[in-house]
Amino acid sequence: MKSATRPEALTIAVDRKPVPAQDGRTPLKVWHEKEALGGNPCDAFVIILRTSGCYWAHTRGCTMCGYARETLGREATGEEIRDQVARAMREYRGEPYVKIYTSGSFLDPREVPVEVRSEVTRAFQGKAQRFLVESLPEFVTPEAIQNLRDGFSGEIEVALGLETTQDDVLQKAVTKVSTVQEYLDAARRLRDTGALAKAYLLLKPPFLTEREAIEDAVLSVRRCRELFDTISINPVHIQGGTLVERLWRRGLYRPPWLWSLREVMLRGKEAAGEKVRLVSFPTSGGNSRGTHNCLSCDGRVLRAVEKAAITQDFGMLQSVLECRCRDQWQWETSLEALAP
Ligand code: SF4
Ligand SMILES: [Zn+2]
């Protein structure tokens, strides 16, 4: 892990405090997006519920995560969660893939009370094919998965923010509360219950060079492929109130190049093999806060990444090569190892 002087003592949790007394009866966001199921493109319905959010984000938090700002600042009641889902359902168009996020862990009972979990999944019973939630590993238990199944007989998928399979990167650069082993054990528990496991891998945590970040992501795909059905490469984007934002403002951090993402996707697909779905849907792709190149070729590379993610056909991504900025990326990634 390389250089970049660590800034003054972290006050991340303070910077990320949510605005108090927010509306607990309206979801934070609802939208529709492209996805794939069983190898076929499909539509997905996405809800972000307002809850207390990730407990770790309020304690110290991870270096790139600003989700605490989007939380309620207190625990939501079961009644509020019911109202949020009911309001979101007004926009549901029967999409087969449903994703419900909470800016934390859906399976943490402080975020979504146990007694409403099956009510939330039941809203999609007979309508959706797959239901996805996110969780920290410690909340992944057979009972928690059963709570979801009590209301929904389709596929249950749980996404884990593994980020990297290198413990020193996870603890020092990302500052996660859980260890790599805890994530892998949670993925095994998901397999045992018959649920689908999805891993998020972070591309370019702070304090890694661009080349180190590429190698970290490819290595992580190789190391975790046996335990996950889907692996999502998530390039860091600059979120408000984070350590990464401070480094970025001081010129000490650049979000990953799209060329780096392309390399990780191509090499990652080879490492992952045919059985694992390798995807990436970059947030803020093509602008200065997200993964980007020279901005003139960004649209082309992003379209190729999306096509690969949805169809698992990486041919278009393989053929996107031409732009002068590619030389600059190659030059920078080869010289950065020599920098003090
Ligand atoms: S564990 Fe996840 S939600 Fe919590 S602070 Fe870290 S990245 Fe954010
Ligand atoms: Zn370019």
Side-chain angles (χ1 to χ4, degrees), residues 259 293-294 296-297 323 325:
W259 295 125
N293 282 347
C294 65
S296 78
C297 65
C323 189
C325 74

Side-chain angles (χ1 to χ4, degrees), residues 264-274 276-278 312 314:
V264 169
M265 290 293 282
L266 291 173
R267 290 175 57 201
K269 187 60 193 167
E270 267 188 53
E274 285 308 308
V276 178
R277 210 173 138 242
L278 186 71
Q312 294 297 286
F314 285 62

Side-chain angles (χ1 to χ4, degrees), residues 109-130:
R110 292 165 291 192
E111 292 194 50
V112 178
V114 174
E115 65 275 13
V116 295
R117 284 180 191 164
S118 61
E119 291 178 43
V120 175
T121 55
R122 193 168 294 116
F124 299 96
Q125 172 62 19
K127 299 175 184 134
Q129 184 179 328
R130 184 179 296 182

Side-chain angles (χ1 to χ4, degrees), residues 279-299:
V279 302
S280 183
F281 299 100
T283 304
S284 304
N287 79 50
S288 59
R289 280 188 173 253
T291 174
H292 65 275
N293 282 347
C294 65
L295 302 180
S296 78
C297 65
D298 291 16

Side-chain angles (χ1 to χ4, degrees), residues 89 92-98 121-130 152-154:
M89 290 303 285
Y92 181 55
R93 301 179 196 148
E95 288 88 347
Y97 202 150
V98 172
T121 55
R122 193 168 294 116
F124 299 96
Q125 172 62 19
K127 299 175 184 134
Q129 184 179 328
R130 184 179 296 182
F152 184 73
S153 59

Side-chain angles (χ1 to χ4, degrees), residues 175-208:
T175 65
K176 278 262 164 155
V177 65
S178 314
T179 63
V180 169
Q181 193 57 52
E182 285 168 330
Y183 281 97
L184 301 182
D185 289 345
R188 277 194 195 90
R189 292 197 293 279
L190 285 170
R191 280 276 160 90
D192 291 346
T193 64
L196 297 164
K198 179 174 184 175
Y200 296 142
L201 294 180
L202 198 63
L203 177 57
K204 203 175 173 187
F207 312 114
L208 268 66

